[in-house]
Amino acid sequence: MVSEGEGGEAAEAYLRVREREGRILADQLVADLPIVPDDHPHVAEWRLRADSAERLIGYLRGLGRPLKIVELGCGNGWLSSHLAQLEGSQVVGVDNNAVELEQARRVFGRQENLTFGRADMVEDELPIDRPDIVVMAAALQYVPAPGPCLARIARTMAAHGELHVLDTRIYESADVPAAQERSRRYYESVGVPQMASHYHHHDWA
């Protein structure tokens, strides 16, 4: 999910962290997401993500019209798959993580209105012309400079388009240094210290 613009080291570090955290899941678990067994080590996180996904999909369903949707940083594709269940939707999931992107195609590739493409969410153009909806779920923390990135995305969307950022914590400015230190210690503890420089703590400013 990290930007290719940050270099190959970032993508490699990201995958190593995912593996050590137990986030590279079996196909059957991915197919059931965001529902995971009660004894799953990340069950609390998945319950939060299930809630945000349900609220997003309920909102989009309430718009009552066909939607062209792009999910940037789609990972293994579970949210893109749920978005594709909206009637009349056309969904493209984008990521530069080849491992999880291949899993997304393998698990969800039979949905006719859903495709997946490998691209950089920061530097590459959106894969659908003038999409109605762009979703970034648990992805903005991997974008080094969100302001220019989000502005570029907004300029390429439909006139009535909407950008939805989910599941990324935004900090008060005074809280950023402590958050950066926590992340530094954490990535050291899992043996991938270089990942700390590719995980960004954005403030509201």
Side-chain angles (χ1 to χ4, degrees), residues 105-172:
R105 293 186 178 115
R106 189 169 64 243
V107 175
F108 303 116
R110 295 180 182 177
Q111 292 177 252
E112 293 184 357
N113 61 329
L114 172 62
T115 58
F116 295 99
R118 189 174 184 187
D120 182 81
M121 63 181 174
V122 173
E123 296 184 352
D124 293 333
E125 295 299 317
L126 296 177
I128 297 179
D129 184 48
R130 312 296 288 176
D132 305 293
I133 304 293
V134 174
V135 177
M136 299 179 74
L140 193 65
Q141 64 267 35
Y142 301 107
V143 176
C149 175
L150 299 183
R152 181 182 61 81
I153 291 168
R155 287 195 299 270
T156 60
M157 295 173 65
H160 56 270
E162 300 178 5
L163 173 62
H164 293 260
V165 176
L166 288 68
D167 302 328
T168 292
R169 182 174 178 181
I170 308 298
Y171 295 84
E172 298 297 336

Short mmCIF file of all heavy atoms in Angstrom, two decimals, residues 105-172:
data_model
loop_
_atom_site.label_atom_id
_atom_site.label_comp_id
_atom_site.label_asym_id
_atom_site.label_seq_id
_atom_site.Cartn_x
_atom_site.Cartn_y
_atom_site.Cartn_z
N ARG A 105 -7.51 -10.48 -6.81
CA ARG A 105 -8.01 -11.01 -8.09
C ARG A 105 -8.45 -12.46 -7.94
O ARG A 105 -9.46 -12.88 -8.51
CB ARG A 105 -6.92 -10.90 -9.15
CG ARG A 105 -6.55 -9.47 -9.54
CD ARG A 105 -5.57 -9.47 -10.70
NE ARG A 105 -5.22 -8.12 -11.13
CZ ARG A 105 -4.00 -7.60 -11.04
NH1 ARG A 105 -3.01 -8.32 -10.53
NH2 ARG A 105 -3.77 -6.37 -11.46
N ARG A 106 -7.69 -13.23 -7.18
CA ARG A 106 -8.00 -14.65 -7.01
C ARG A 106 -9.31 -14.86 -6.23
O ARG A 106 -10.12 -15.71 -6.58
CB ARG A 106 -6.83 -15.30 -6.26
CG ARG A 106 -6.88 -16.80 -6.17
CD ARG A 106 -5.55 -17.34 -5.66
NE ARG A 106 -5.23 -16.92 -4.30
CZ ARG A 106 -4.18 -16.18 -3.96
NH1 ARG A 106 -3.35 -15.73 -4.89
NH2 ARG A 106 -3.95 -15.87 -2.69
N VAL A 107 -9.51 -14.05 -5.18
CA VAL A 107 -10.66 -14.26 -4.30
C VAL A 107 -11.92 -13.59 -4.85
O VAL A 107 -13.02 -14.15 -4.77
CB VAL A 107 -10.34 -13.74 -2.88
CG1 VAL A 107 -11.57 -13.84 -1.98
CG2 VAL A 107 -9.18 -14.52 -2.28
N PHE A 108 -11.77 -12.39 -5.43
CA PHE A 108 -12.94 -11.61 -5.80
C PHE A 108 -13.07 -11.37 -7.31
O PHE A 108 -13.97 -10.64 -7.75
CB PHE A 108 -12.90 -10.25 -5.09
CG PHE A 108 -12.83 -10.34 -3.59
CD1 PHE A 108 -11.71 -9.88 -2.90
CD2 PHE A 108 -13.87 -10.90 -2.88
CE1 PHE A 108 -11.63 -9.96 -1.52
CE2 PHE A 108 -13.80 -10.99 -1.48
CZ PHE A 108 -12.69 -10.53 -0.81
N GLY A 109 -12.23 -11.99 -8.10
CA GLY A 109 -12.18 -11.69 -9.52
C GLY A 109 -13.40 -12.10 -10.33
O GLY A 109 -13.52 -11.71 -11.49
N ARG A 110 -14.30 -12.86 -9.74
CA ARG A 110 -15.49 -13.30 -10.48
C ARG A 110 -16.60 -12.25 -10.51
O ARG A 110 -17.59 -12.41 -11.23
CB ARG A 110 -16.04 -14.60 -9.89
CG ARG A 110 -15.07 -15.77 -10.04
CD ARG A 110 -15.64 -17.04 -9.45
NE ARG A 110 -14.70 -18.16 -9.55
CZ ARG A 110 -14.93 -19.37 -9.07
NH1 ARG A 110 -16.06 -19.62 -8.42
NH2 ARG A 110 -14.02 -20.32 -9.21
N GLN A 111 -16.46 -11.19 -9.74
CA GLN A 111 -17.47 -10.14 -9.75
C GLN A 111 -17.31 -9.31 -11.03
O GLN A 111 -16.27 -8.67 -11.24
CB GLN A 111 -17.35 -9.26 -8.51
CG GLN A 111 -17.72 -9.99 -7.21
CD GLN A 111 -17.51 -9.14 -5.99
OE1 GLN A 111 -16.60 -9.36 -5.20
NE2 GLN A 111 -18.38 -8.15 -5.80
N GLU A 112 -18.32 -9.32 -11.86
CA GLU A 112 -18.20 -8.73 -13.20
C GLU A 112 -17.96 -7.23 -13.19
O GLU A 112 -17.35 -6.70 -14.11
CB GLU A 112 -19.45 -9.06 -14.02
CG GLU A 112 -19.60 -10.54 -14.34
CD GLU A 112 -20.78 -10.83 -15.22
OE1 GLU A 112 -21.54 -9.86 -15.53
OE2 GLU A 112 -20.98 -12.00 -15.59
N ASN A 113 -18.45 -6.56 -12.18
CA ASN A 113 -18.31 -5.10 -12.13
C ASN A 113 -17.13 -4.66 -11.27
O ASN A 113 -17.05 -3.49 -10.87
CB ASN A 113 -19.60 -4.47 -11.60
CG ASN A 113 -19.95 -4.93 -10.19
OD1 ASN A 113 -19.63 -6.07 -9.81
ND2 ASN A 113 -20.60 -4.09 -9.42
N LEU A 114 -16.21 -5.59 -10.98
CA LEU A 114 -15.07 -5.29 -10.12
C LEU A 114 -13.78 -5.70 -10.82
O LEU A 114 -13.65 -6.84 -11.28
CB LEU A 114 -15.21 -6.05 -8.80
CG LEU A 114 -14.01 -6.02 -7.84
CD1 LEU A 114 -13.70 -4.59 -7.39
CD2 LEU A 114 -14.28 -6.91 -6.63
N THR A 115 -12.84 -4.77 -10.90
CA THR A 115 -11.51 -5.08 -11.44
C THR A 115 -10.46 -4.53 -10.49
O THR A 115 -10.73 -3.65 -9.66
CB THR A 115 -11.30 -4.47 -12.84
OG1 THR A 115 -11.48 -3.04 -12.76
CG2 THR A 115 -12.28 -5.05 -13.85
N PHE A 116 -9.26 -5.07 -10.63
CA PHE A 116 -8.13 -4.63 -9.80
C PHE A 116 -6.97 -4.26 -10.71
O PHE A 116 -6.74 -4.91 -11.73
CB PHE A 116 -7.70 -5.74 -8.83
CG PHE A 116 -8.74 -6.08 -7.81
CD1 PHE A 116 -9.56 -7.18 -7.97
CD2 PHE A 116 -8.91 -5.29 -6.68
CE1 PHE A 116 -10.53 -7.50 -7.03
CE2 PHE A 116 -9.87 -5.59 -5.74
CZ PHE A 116 -10.69 -6.70 -5.91
N GLY A 117 -6.24 -3.21 -10.33
CA GLY A 117 -5.09 -2.78 -11.11
C GLY A 117 -3.95 -2.37 -10.21
O GLY A 117 -4.16 -1.84 -9.11
N ARG A 118 -2.74 -2.61 -10.69
CA ARG A 118 -1.56 -2.22 -9.92
C ARG A 118 -1.14 -0.81 -10.34
O ARG A 118 -0.88 -0.55 -11.52
CB ARG A 118 -0.41 -3.20 -10.14
CG ARG A 118 0.75 -2.94 -9.19
CD ARG A 118 1.83 -3.98 -9.30
NE ARG A 118 2.87 -3.74 -8.31
CZ ARG A 118 4.01 -4.41 -8.24
NH1 ARG A 118 4.27 -5.37 -9.12
NH2 ARG A 118 4.90 -4.11 -7.30
N ALA A 119 -1.09 0.07 -9.39
CA ALA A 119 -0.71 1.46 -9.65
C ALA A 119 -0.32 2.10 -8.34
O ALA A 119 -0.63 1.59 -7.25
CB ALA A 119 -1.86 2.23 -10.31
N ASP A 120 0.34 3.23 -8.43
CA ASP A 120 0.74 4.00 -7.26
C ASP A 120 -0.35 5.01 -6.94
O ASP A 120 -0.71 5.82 -7.79
CB ASP A 120 2.05 4.71 -7.53
CG ASP A 120 2.52 5.49 -6.32
OD1 ASP A 120 3.12 4.87 -5.42
OD2 ASP A 120 2.29 6.71 -6.27
N MET A 121 -0.87 4.96 -5.72
CA MET A 121 -2.01 5.81 -5.38
C MET A 121 -1.64 7.28 -5.26
O MET A 121 -2.51 8.15 -5.27
CB MET A 121 -2.69 5.33 -4.10
CG MET A 121 -1.84 5.40 -2.86
SD MET A 121 -2.76 4.76 -1.43
CE MET A 121 -1.48 4.79 -0.17
N VAL A 122 -0.35 7.58 -5.15
CA VAL A 122 0.09 8.96 -5.04
C VAL A 122 0.41 9.55 -6.41
O VAL A 122 0.02 10.68 -6.72
CB VAL A 122 1.32 9.07 -4.12
CG1 VAL A 122 1.88 10.49 -4.12
CG2 VAL A 122 0.95 8.65 -2.70
N GLU A 123 1.10 8.79 -7.25
CA GLU A 123 1.66 9.37 -8.46
C GLU A 123 0.88 9.07 -9.74
O GLU A 123 0.96 9.83 -10.70
CB GLU A 123 3.10 8.86 -8.64
CG GLU A 123 4.03 9.31 -7.51
CD GLU A 123 5.46 8.88 -7.73
OE1 GLU A 123 5.70 8.11 -8.69
OE2 GLU A 123 6.33 9.32 -6.97
N ASP A 124 0.14 7.96 -9.79
CA ASP A 124 -0.52 7.55 -11.03
C ASP A 124 -1.91 8.14 -11.16
O ASP A 124 -2.57 8.49 -10.16
CB ASP A 124 -0.59 6.03 -11.11
CG ASP A 124 0.79 5.39 -11.26
OD1 ASP A 124 1.69 6.08 -11.78
OD2 ASP A 124 0.96 4.25 -10.84
N GLU A 125 -2.38 8.22 -12.39
CA GLU A 125 -3.73 8.73 -12.65
C GLU A 125 -4.77 7.72 -12.17
O GLU A 125 -4.52 6.51 -12.09
CB GLU A 125 -3.92 8.96 -14.16
CG GLU A 125 -3.02 10.06 -14.72
CD GLU A 125 -3.30 11.41 -14.08
OE1 GLU A 125 -4.48 11.75 -13.89
OE2 GLU A 125 -2.32 12.12 -13.76
N LEU A 126 -5.96 8.22 -11.87
CA LEU A 126 -7.04 7.33 -11.47
C LEU A 126 -7.41 6.42 -12.64
O LEU A 126 -7.38 6.84 -13.80
CB LEU A 126 -8.26 8.14 -11.03
CG LEU A 126 -8.07 9.01 -9.78
CD1 LEU A 126 -9.33 9.81 -9.50
CD2 LEU A 126 -7.70 8.17 -8.56
N PRO A 127 -7.78 5.16 -12.35
CA PRO A 127 -8.02 4.19 -13.42
C PRO A 127 -9.39 4.30 -14.08
O PRO A 127 -9.65 3.63 -15.08
CB PRO A 127 -7.89 2.85 -12.70
CG PRO A 127 -8.33 3.15 -11.30
CD PRO A 127 -7.84 4.54 -11.02
N ILE A 128 -10.26 5.12 -13.55
CA ILE A 128 -11.57 5.37 -14.15
C ILE A 128 -11.65 6.86 -14.47
O ILE A 128 -11.27 7.70 -13.64
CB ILE A 128 -12.73 4.98 -13.21
CG1 ILE A 128 -12.72 3.48 -12.92
CG2 ILE A 128 -14.08 5.38 -13.81
CD1 ILE A 128 -13.84 3.05 -11.97
N ASP A 129 -12.17 7.20 -15.62
CA ASP A 129 -12.32 8.60 -15.99
C ASP A 129 -13.44 9.24 -15.18
O ASP A 129 -14.57 8.75 -15.18
CB ASP A 129 -12.61 8.71 -17.49
CG ASP A 129 -12.68 10.17 -17.94
OD1 ASP A 129 -11.78 10.95 -17.57
OD2 ASP A 129 -13.66 10.51 -18.64
N ARG A 130 -13.11 10.30 -14.46
CA ARG A 130 -14.08 11.09 -13.70
C ARG A 130 -14.94 10.24 -12.77
O ARG A 130 -16.17 10.19 -12.87
CB ARG A 130 -14.99 11.90 -14.64
CG ARG A 130 -14.28 12.66 -15.73
CD ARG A 130 -13.35 13.74 -15.19
NE ARG A 130 -14.08 14.86 -14.65
CZ ARG A 130 -13.52 15.92 -14.04
NH1 ARG A 130 -12.20 15.96 -13.89
NH2 ARG A 130 -14.24 16.91 -13.60
N PRO A 131 -14.33 9.52 -11.82
CA PRO A 131 -15.12 8.70 -10.90
C PRO A 131 -16.02 9.54 -10.01
O PRO A 131 -15.73 10.70 -9.71
CB PRO A 131 -14.07 7.96 -10.09
CG PRO A 131 -12.88 8.87 -10.12
CD PRO A 131 -12.91 9.49 -11.49
N ASP A 132 -17.11 8.91 -9.58
CA ASP A 132 -18.02 9.58 -8.64
C ASP A 132 -17.50 9.54 -7.22
O ASP A 132 -17.70 10.48 -6.44
CB ASP A 132 -19.40 8.89 -8.67
CG ASP A 132 -19.99 8.82 -10.06
OD1 ASP A 132 -20.32 9.88 -10.60
OD2 ASP A 132 -20.10 7.70 -10.60
N ILE A 133 -16.86 8.42 -6.86
CA ILE A 133 -16.43 8.18 -5.49
C ILE A 133 -14.99 7.66 -5.50
O ILE A 133 -14.68 6.72 -6.26
CB ILE A 133 -17.33 7.13 -4.79
CG1 ILE A 133 -18.80 7.55 -4.83
CG2 ILE A 133 -16.86 6.88 -3.36
CD1 ILE A 133 -19.15 8.78 -4.03
N VAL A 134 -14.14 8.23 -4.66
CA VAL A 134 -12.81 7.68 -4.40
C VAL A 134 -12.72 7.39 -2.91
O VAL A 134 -13.07 8.23 -2.08
CB VAL A 134 -11.69 8.64 -4.83
CG1 VAL A 134 -10.32 8.10 -4.42
CG2 VAL A 134 -11.73 8.87 -6.34
N VAL A 135 -12.29 6.16 -2.59
CA VAL A 135 -12.20 5.72 -1.21
C VAL A 135 -10.75 5.43 -0.87
O VAL A 135 -10.04 4.77 -1.64
CB VAL A 135 -13.05 4.45 -0.98
CG1 VAL A 135 -12.89 3.93 0.46
CG2 VAL A 135 -14.52 4.72 -1.28
N MET A 136 -10.31 5.92 0.29
CA MET A 136 -9.00 5.56 0.84
C MET A 136 -9.25 5.05 2.25
O MET A 136 -9.53 5.84 3.16
CB MET A 136 -8.06 6.76 0.85
CG MET A 136 -7.77 7.34 -0.52
SD MET A 136 -6.67 8.79 -0.46
CE MET A 136 -5.09 8.00 -0.12
N ALA A 137 -9.19 3.74 2.43
CA ALA A 137 -9.48 3.12 3.72
C ALA A 137 -8.19 2.56 4.32
O ALA A 137 -7.55 1.71 3.70
CB ALA A 137 -10.51 2.01 3.56
N ALA A 138 -7.81 3.06 5.49
CA ALA A 138 -6.57 2.66 6.15
C ALA A 138 -5.39 2.81 5.20
O ALA A 138 -4.50 1.96 5.13
CB ALA A 138 -6.66 1.22 6.67
N ALA A 139 -5.38 3.91 4.45
CA ALA A 139 -4.36 4.11 3.43
C ALA A 139 -3.64 5.45 3.54
O ALA A 139 -2.48 5.57 3.13
CB ALA A 139 -4.98 4.00 2.04
N LEU A 140 -4.28 6.48 4.07
CA LEU A 140 -3.70 7.82 4.03
C LEU A 140 -2.39 7.91 4.82
O LEU A 140 -1.53 8.74 4.52
CB LEU A 140 -4.71 8.85 4.55
CG LEU A 140 -4.34 10.31 4.28
CD1 LEU A 140 -4.33 10.61 2.79
CD2 LEU A 140 -5.30 11.26 5.00
N GLN A 141 -2.23 7.04 5.81
CA GLN A 141 -1.00 7.07 6.61
C GLN A 141 0.24 6.66 5.81
O GLN A 141 1.37 6.85 6.26
CB GLN A 141 -1.13 6.20 7.86
CG GLN A 141 -1.32 4.72 7.59
CD GLN A 141 -2.79 4.33 7.55
OE1 GLN A 141 -3.64 5.10 7.09
NE2 GLN A 141 -3.10 3.14 8.06
N TYR A 142 0.03 6.11 4.63
CA TYR A 142 1.16 5.72 3.78
C TYR A 142 1.44 6.76 2.69
O TYR A 142 2.28 6.53 1.82
CB TYR A 142 0.89 4.36 3.15
CG TYR A 142 0.69 3.27 4.19
CD1 TYR A 142 -0.57 2.75 4.43
CD2 TYR A 142 1.76 2.81 4.96
CE1 TYR A 142 -0.77 1.78 5.40
CE2 TYR A 142 1.57 1.85 5.93
CZ TYR A 142 0.30 1.33 6.15
OH TYR A 142 0.11 0.38 7.12
N VAL A 143 0.75 7.88 2.74
CA VAL A 143 0.96 8.97 1.79
C VAL A 143 1.83 10.03 2.46
O VAL A 143 1.44 10.59 3.48
CB VAL A 143 -0.38 9.58 1.35
CG1 VAL A 143 -0.16 10.78 0.44
CG2 VAL A 143 -1.24 8.53 0.66
N PRO A 144 3.01 10.32 1.91
CA PRO A 144 3.90 11.27 2.59
C PRO A 144 3.32 12.68 2.74
O PRO A 144 3.47 13.31 3.78
CB PRO A 144 5.15 11.29 1.69
CG PRO A 144 5.07 10.05 0.87
CD PRO A 144 3.61 9.75 0.71
N ALA A 145 2.68 13.19 1.68
CA ALA A 145 2.17 14.56 1.68
C ALA A 145 0.71 14.52 1.23
O ALA A 145 0.44 14.57 0.02
CB ALA A 145 3.00 15.46 0.78
N PRO A 146 -0.23 14.42 2.14
CA PRO A 146 -1.62 14.20 1.73
C PRO A 146 -2.26 15.38 1.02
O PRO A 146 -3.12 15.17 0.16
CB PRO A 146 -2.34 13.90 3.05
CG PRO A 146 -1.48 14.53 4.10
CD PRO A 146 -0.08 14.40 3.60
N GLY A 147 -1.87 16.60 1.35
CA GLY A 147 -2.52 17.76 0.74
C GLY A 147 -2.46 17.74 -0.78
O GLY A 147 -3.50 17.74 -1.45
N PRO A 148 -1.27 17.74 -1.38
CA PRO A 148 -1.19 17.69 -2.84
C PRO A 148 -1.82 16.45 -3.44
O PRO A 148 -2.44 16.51 -4.51
CB PRO A 148 0.33 17.72 -3.09
CG PRO A 148 0.91 18.35 -1.88
CD PRO A 148 0.04 17.91 -0.74
N CYS A 149 -1.67 15.32 -2.76
CA CYS A 149 -2.26 14.07 -3.27
C CYS A 149 -3.78 14.17 -3.34
O CYS A 149 -4.39 13.86 -4.38
CB CYS A 149 -1.83 12.91 -2.38
SG CYS A 149 -2.61 11.33 -2.80
N LEU A 150 -4.40 14.62 -2.27
CA LEU A 150 -5.87 14.69 -2.24
C LEU A 150 -6.38 15.76 -3.20
O LEU A 150 -7.42 15.58 -3.84
CB LEU A 150 -6.35 14.97 -0.82
CG LEU A 150 -5.99 13.89 0.22
CD1 LEU A 150 -6.59 14.25 1.58
CD2 LEU A 150 -6.45 12.51 -0.20
N ALA A 151 -5.64 16.85 -3.33
CA ALA A 151 -6.05 17.89 -4.27
C ALA A 151 -6.01 17.38 -5.71
O ALA A 151 -6.90 17.67 -6.51
CB ALA A 151 -5.16 19.11 -4.11
N ARG A 152 -4.97 16.60 -6.04
CA ARG A 152 -4.87 16.04 -7.39
C ARG A 152 -6.01 15.08 -7.66
O ARG A 152 -6.61 15.09 -8.73
CB ARG A 152 -3.52 15.32 -7.55
CG ARG A 152 -3.31 14.72 -8.94
CD ARG A 152 -1.99 13.98 -9.02
NE ARG A 152 -1.92 12.87 -8.10
CZ ARG A 152 -2.47 11.68 -8.33
NH1 ARG A 152 -3.13 11.46 -9.45
NH2 ARG A 152 -2.36 10.71 -7.44
N ILE A 153 -6.33 14.24 -6.68
CA ILE A 153 -7.45 13.31 -6.84
C ILE A 153 -8.75 14.07 -7.06
O ILE A 153 -9.54 13.76 -7.94
CB ILE A 153 -7.55 12.39 -5.61
CG1 ILE A 153 -6.36 11.42 -5.56
CG2 ILE A 153 -8.86 11.60 -5.63
CD1 ILE A 153 -6.23 10.68 -4.25
N ALA A 154 -8.97 15.10 -6.25
CA ALA A 154 -10.21 15.87 -6.35
C ALA A 154 -10.37 16.50 -7.72
O ALA A 154 -11.48 16.57 -8.26
CB ALA A 154 -10.25 16.93 -5.26
N ARG A 155 -9.28 16.95 -8.30
CA ARG A 155 -9.35 17.60 -9.62
C ARG A 155 -9.74 16.63 -10.73
O ARG A 155 -10.25 17.06 -11.77
CB ARG A 155 -7.99 18.25 -9.96
CG ARG A 155 -7.69 19.51 -9.18
CD ARG A 155 -6.54 20.27 -9.81
NE ARG A 155 -5.30 19.49 -9.84
CZ ARG A 155 -4.39 19.50 -8.85
NH1 ARG A 155 -4.60 20.24 -7.77
NH2 ARG A 155 -3.30 18.78 -8.95
N THR A 156 -9.49 15.35 -10.54
CA THR A 156 -9.76 14.37 -11.60
C THR A 156 -11.08 13.63 -11.40
O THR A 156 -11.42 12.76 -12.20
CB THR A 156 -8.62 13.34 -11.69
OG1 THR A 156 -8.50 12.65 -10.44
CG2 THR A 156 -7.31 14.04 -12.00
N MET A 157 -11.83 13.98 -10.38
CA MET A 157 -13.11 13.33 -10.12
C MET A 157 -14.24 14.03 -10.87
O MET A 157 -14.07 15.13 -11.41
CB MET A 157 -13.40 13.33 -8.61
CG MET A 157 -12.41 12.51 -7.81
SD MET A 157 -12.65 12.69 -6.04
CE MET A 157 -14.27 11.95 -5.86
N ALA A 158 -15.40 13.39 -10.89
CA ALA A 158 -16.59 14.00 -11.45
C ALA A 158 -16.92 15.28 -10.68
O ALA A 158 -16.51 15.46 -9.53
CB ALA A 158 -17.75 13.03 -11.39
N ALA A 159 -17.68 16.18 -11.34
CA ALA A 159 -18.00 17.46 -10.71
C ALA A 159 -18.70 17.27 -9.37
O ALA A 159 -18.52 18.07 -8.44
CB ALA A 159 -18.87 18.28 -11.65
N HIS A 160 -19.50 16.21 -9.26
CA HIS A 160 -20.22 15.95 -8.02
C HIS A 160 -19.49 14.90 -7.17
O HIS A 160 -20.03 14.35 -6.22
CB HIS A 160 -21.62 15.41 -8.34
CG HIS A 160 -21.59 14.19 -9.21
ND1 HIS A 160 -21.61 14.28 -10.58
CD2 HIS A 160 -21.49 12.87 -8.90
CE1 HIS A 160 -21.54 13.05 -11.09
NE2 HIS A 160 -21.46 12.18 -10.09
N GLY A 161 -18.22 14.60 -7.51
CA GLY A 161 -17.49 13.51 -6.88
C GLY A 161 -17.22 13.73 -5.41
O GLY A 161 -17.21 14.86 -4.90
N GLU A 162 -16.99 12.63 -4.72
CA GLU A 162 -16.73 12.65 -3.29
C GLU A 162 -15.51 11.79 -2.98
O GLU A 162 -15.36 10.69 -3.53
CB GLU A 162 -17.93 12.10 -2.50
CG GLU A 162 -19.20 12.90 -2.71
CD GLU A 162 -20.38 12.30 -1.97
OE1 GLU A 162 -20.20 11.32 -1.22
OE2 GLU A 162 -21.50 12.81 -2.14
N LEU A 163 -14.67 12.27 -2.08
CA LEU A 163 -13.51 11.53 -1.61
C LEU A 163 -13.76 11.13 -0.16
O LEU A 163 -14.04 11.98 0.69
CB LEU A 163 -12.26 12.41 -1.70
CG LEU A 163 -10.97 11.87 -1.10
CD1 LEU A 163 -10.52 10.60 -1.80
CD2 LEU A 163 -9.88 12.94 -1.18
N HIS A 164 -13.68 9.83 0.12
CA HIS A 164 -13.95 9.32 1.47
C HIS A 164 -12.67 8.72 2.04
O HIS A 164 -12.12 7.77 1.48
CB HIS A 164 -15.05 8.26 1.43
CG HIS A 164 -16.39 8.80 1.06
ND1 HIS A 164 -17.36 9.09 2.00
CD2 HIS A 164 -16.91 9.14 -0.15
CE1 HIS A 164 -18.43 9.57 1.38
NE2 HIS A 164 -18.19 9.61 0.08
N VAL A 165 -12.20 9.28 3.16
CA VAL A 165 -11.01 8.79 3.86
C VAL A 165 -11.48 8.12 5.14
O VAL A 165 -12.10 8.75 6.00
CB VAL A 165 -10.03 9.94 4.16
CG1 VAL A 165 -8.85 9.42 4.98
CG2 VAL A 165 -9.56 10.58 2.87
N LEU A 166 -11.18 6.82 5.27
CA LEU A 166 -11.63 6.02 6.40
C LEU A 166 -10.44 5.41 7.12
O LEU A 166 -9.40 5.13 6.51
CB LEU A 166 -12.52 4.85 5.93
CG LEU A 166 -13.93 5.08 5.42
CD1 LEU A 166 -13.94 5.80 4.09
CD2 LEU A 166 -14.62 3.72 5.27
N ASP A 167 -10.62 5.16 8.41
CA ASP A 167 -9.74 4.27 9.17
C ASP A 167 -8.28 4.71 9.20
O ASP A 167 -7.38 3.89 9.27
CB ASP A 167 -9.86 2.83 8.65
CG ASP A 167 -11.27 2.31 8.72
OD1 ASP A 167 -12.01 2.71 9.64
OD2 ASP A 167 -11.66 1.51 7.85
N THR A 168 -8.06 6.01 9.13
CA THR A 168 -6.73 6.58 9.34
C THR A 168 -6.86 7.65 10.42
O THR A 168 -7.68 8.56 10.30
CB THR A 168 -6.17 7.22 8.06
OG1 THR A 168 -5.89 6.21 7.10
CG2 THR A 168 -4.87 7.97 8.35
N ARG A 169 -6.07 7.53 11.46
CA ARG A 169 -6.13 8.52 12.53
C ARG A 169 -5.46 9.82 12.08
O ARG A 169 -4.37 9.81 11.51
CB ARG A 169 -5.42 8.00 13.78
CG ARG A 169 -5.50 8.98 14.94
CD ARG A 169 -4.94 8.41 16.22
NE ARG A 169 -4.98 9.41 17.28
CZ ARG A 169 -4.54 9.20 18.52
NH1 ARG A 169 -4.03 8.02 18.85
NH2 ARG A 169 -4.60 10.16 19.43
N ILE A 170 -6.13 10.93 12.33
CA ILE A 170 -5.57 12.27 12.09
C ILE A 170 -5.33 12.90 13.47
O ILE A 170 -6.20 12.89 14.34
CB ILE A 170 -6.52 13.15 11.27
CG1 ILE A 170 -6.96 12.42 9.99
CG2 ILE A 170 -5.85 14.47 10.93
CD1 ILE A 170 -5.86 12.07 9.03
N TYR A 171 -4.15 13.48 13.65
CA TYR A 171 -3.71 13.91 14.97
C TYR A 171 -3.82 15.42 15.15
O TYR A 171 -3.79 16.19 14.19
CB TYR A 171 -2.24 13.52 15.19
CG TYR A 171 -1.99 12.04 15.23
CD1 TYR A 171 -1.82 11.32 14.05
CD2 TYR A 171 -1.93 11.35 16.44
CE1 TYR A 171 -1.59 9.96 14.08
CE2 TYR A 171 -1.69 9.99 16.47
CZ TYR A 171 -1.53 9.29 15.29
OH TYR A 171 -1.30 7.94 15.31
N GLU A 172 -3.91 15.83 16.40
CA GLU A 172 -3.61 17.22 16.73
C GLU A 172 -2.10 17.40 16.58
O GLU A 172 -1.32 16.49 16.85
CB GLU A 172 -4.05 17.55 18.16
CG GLU A 172 -5.55 17.40 18.40
CD GLU A 172 -6.38 18.35 17.56
OE1 GLU A 172 -5.84 19.41 17.15
OE2 GLU A 172 -7.56 18.04 17.32
#
